[in-house]
Amino acid sequence: MTGYACASQRLRPAAAPEHAPELVLGVEIRSVNSRFLDLGFRLSDELRASEPALRERVQALLKRGKVEVRAWVEGRTDAGWRAPSSAELQKLLAMQDQIRTWMPQARELSVAELLQLVARSTPLPSALTEAVSGLFEQVLHDLRSAREREGARLAQTLHERLQQLQALAQQAQPLVPAQVEQQRLRFLERWNEAMGHTATASVSAPAPAAAQERALSEATAYALRLDIAEELTRLQSHLKEIGQLLERGGEVGKRLDFLIQELQREANTLGSKSSSLALTRIAVDMKVLIEQMREQVQNLE
């Protein structure tokens, strides 16, 4: 399922000078459709230690989707640059002199580079782990809300497809006895034609009554092989089960996957047994609707 959520929080560095710039903690989670749970984390170096706990939390709440988690800490650009202290400048210049002693070809630090080094030296908050965890819970909750809204829309679409499939099944139901009787009469007609051609040529031909009984028996057996009543019963049972799962909610994606496969199997059998154009059209329409449902079900958790 797809979803997106993002939030940020201001942090006050621990033991920071009065004019030290504020830090901003940001968390972003993206989710796209996938049959399985595929997690990806892109965390800044300061937050690497929090990855196992964040990963465990995502796995506990989400079961499907390709999920990308980003978290970072950065200085506020609107806080302005703070003036470095004399001690900081002396320390940086001493380090520069030491480096140039060993590497004479190294160039001197520019003003911009000095300011960047001072900004990077700002200490991080001592409760950074707790801040990340709290902000992550907020963003994860927002993501789940977005996925639930999408799931409700998908469930409504699936209900509409179920109603259309049930209507097609009802259209096919009256065709069952007609198809069986049609095949029985067709088989009997061909048998009588064959018996008429061979009755005068064979002295061992069976009596008319016995021949008719045999024709009826074989015609009935042939018609039973084309009977679609069992397939329609199973198809309606699967439709009912899918409707109940959608009403119940929860983690139903994988079970719906299985039921959609069963629906596809029954529709294929229905089409293969069809001996009329009307029933063939119904089977084709069913396959189209079932394929549409299959694509939607893969997005449900």
Side-chain angles (χ1 to χ4, degrees), residues 66-300:
K66 185 175 181 180
V67 182
E68 179 182 346
V69 178
R70 292 182 61 245
W72 64 92
V73 177
E74 62 183 11
R76 286 186 55 194
T77 57
D78 59 347
W81 294 98
R82 71 176 178 90
S85 64
S86 299
E88 289 174 327
L89 288 175
Q90 291 176 359
K91 184 177 180 180
L92 290 172
L93 291 175
M95 293 175 59
Q96 175 181 256
D97 292 340
Q98 183 178 5
I99 292 174
R100 296 192 68 189
T101 300
W102 292 95
M103 301 176 61
Q105 71 276 14
R107 64 179 179 82
E108 296 182 352
L109 291 172
S110 66
V111 175
E113 290 170 340
L114 283 171
L115 291 175
Q116 289 176 357
L117 290 173
V118 170
R120 291 177 183 176
S121 65
T122 301
L124 293 173
S126 57
L128 182 59
T129 301
E130 291 78 3
V132 172
S133 178
L135 188 61
F136 185 79
E137 285 294 329
Q138 174 188 336
V139 176
L140 190 57
H141 177 270
D142 293 343
L143 177 72
R144 292 193 66 191
S145 297
R147 285 162 60 106
E148 287 173 359
R149 290 193 295 270
E150 183 192 11
R153 292 191 294 268
L154 291 177
Q156 179 62 33
T157 301
L158 290 174
H159 276 299
E160 295 173 359
R161 300 293 184 269
L162 285 177
Q163 293 175 358
Q164 295 173 4
L165 283 171
Q166 290 169 348
L168 289 174
Q170 292 175 357
Q171 294 176 22
Q173 196 69 42
L175 300 177
V176 175
Q179 177 169 273
V180 172
E181 181 64 18
Q182 179 184 3
Q183 292 300 325
R184 188 183 70 86
L185 294 177
R186 182 182 301 174
F187 190 89
L188 182 58
E189 180 183 354
R190 292 179 180 177
W191 179 270
N192 286 334
E193 291 178 358
M195 291 296 295
H197 287 297
T198 59
T200 56
S202 176
V203 296
S204 60
Q212 186 178 22
E213 183 67 23
R214 180 178 177 184
L216 289 174
S217 177
E218 295 205 13
T220 301
Y222 179 73
L224 287 175
R225 289 198 297 271
L226 297 178
D227 188 4
I228 60 172
E230 184 177 353
E231 284 74 17
L232 287 177
T233 299
R234 287 197 296 265
L235 189 142
Q236 290 174 337
S237 176
H238 296 329
L239 292 176
K240 182 179 179 181
E241 178 69 14
I242 291 174
Q244 292 175 349
L245 287 175
L246 292 175
E247 291 294 335
R248 187 176 66 192
E251 297 176 9
V252 298
K254 293 183 179 180
R255 184 166 180 82
L256 287 176
D257 275 342
F258 171 76
L259 290 173
I260 293 299
Q261 292 177 5
E262 294 300 307
L263 281 180
Q264 188 72 45
R265 183 177 304 171
E266 301 303 336
N268 288 336
T269 305
L270 194 67
S272 65
K273 285 188 173 184
S274 173
S275 61
S276 66
L277 182 59
L279 194 56
T280 299
R281 288 175 177 172
I282 290 176
V284 171
D285 291 342
M286 283 184 172
K287 291 179 182 180
V288 172
L289 290 172
I290 293 171
E291 179 62 22
Q292 293 174 353
M293 291 179 66
R294 185 187 66 80
E295 294 178 357
Q296 299 295 337
V297 162
Q298 289 182 354
N299 300 334
L300 288 176

